[in-house]
């Protein structure tokens, strides 16, 4: 898991006349309750998905790397990521999907991370401000 000092934030200062380089478009919010042995096969993400565990630990394979975040953490699935849910234990989480526009094509979000960013940069053990 990345340490707090390894996380990056992009914010717009008050009074900054320049708009951000993208527009966030909310797509959906799902509250998911998984029973043991639930599994979602690998699929490719074209947009951003944020997983917020609300009970139990959320586990997934992201680009063939197994990641786990505890309740209160967050996992980012970035455009272009291959993602597989591993729900071998009971877990509940919120799944938030959004688009970032403009992107390289009308049907895909703007890239968030460089291709060389490690999979571990997508998992945060504690994200209280996101859950709030």
């Amino acid at each position: 898991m990345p340490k707090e000092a390894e996380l990056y934030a992009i914010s717009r200062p008050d009074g900054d006349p320049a708009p951000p380089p993208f527009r966030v478009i909310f797509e959906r919010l799902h509250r998911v309750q998984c029973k043991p042995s639930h599994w979602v096969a690998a699929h490719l993400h074209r947009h951003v998905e944020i997983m917020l565990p609300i009970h139990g630990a959320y586990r997934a394979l992201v680009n063939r790397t197994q990641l786990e975040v505890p309740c209160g953490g967050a996992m980012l699935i970035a455009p272009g990521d291959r993602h597989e849910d591993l729900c071998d234990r009971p877990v509940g989480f919120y799944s938030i999907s959004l688009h970032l526009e403009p992107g390289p094509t009308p049907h895909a979000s703007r890239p968030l991370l460089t291709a060389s960013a490690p999979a571990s940069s997508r998992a945060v053990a504690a994200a209280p401000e996101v859950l709030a």
Side-chain angles (χ1 to χ4, degrees), residues 5-80:
E6 296 175 60
L7 301 178
Y8 297 95
I10 299 172
S11 59
R12 186 174 175 196
D14 289 340
D16 184 353
F22 53 83
R23 185 167 53 121
V24 177
I25 299 173
F26 175 79
E27 184 178 288
R28 67 176 166 78
L29 168 68
H30 284 165
R31 182 173 184 198
V32 181
Q33 300 280 49
C34 292
K35 296 178 181 175
S37 56
H38 175 79
W39 171 72
V40 177
H43 53 284
L44 187 66
H45 275 256
R46 294 170 48 189
H47 300 292
V48 177
E49 188 171 13
I50 300 169
M51 310 300 197
L52 303 169
I54 52 177
H55 68 77
Y58 174 78
R59 294 178 50 238
L61 289 177
V62 179
N63 301 326
R64 299 183 185 166
T65 299
Q66 185 171 312
L67 301 174
E68 181 174 327
V69 291
C71 181
M75 186 176 298
L76 168 71
I77 309 299

Side-chain angles (χ1 to χ4, degrees), residues 91-126:
V91 62
F93 59 93
Y94 288 112
S95 166
I96 302 171
S97 294
L98 33 106
H99 300 239
L100 301 179
E101 293 183 351
T105 69
H107 304 293
S109 290
R110 178 184 177 98
L112 286 178
L113 303 167
T114 63
S116 61
S120 62
S121 66
R122 292 155 167 77
V124 179

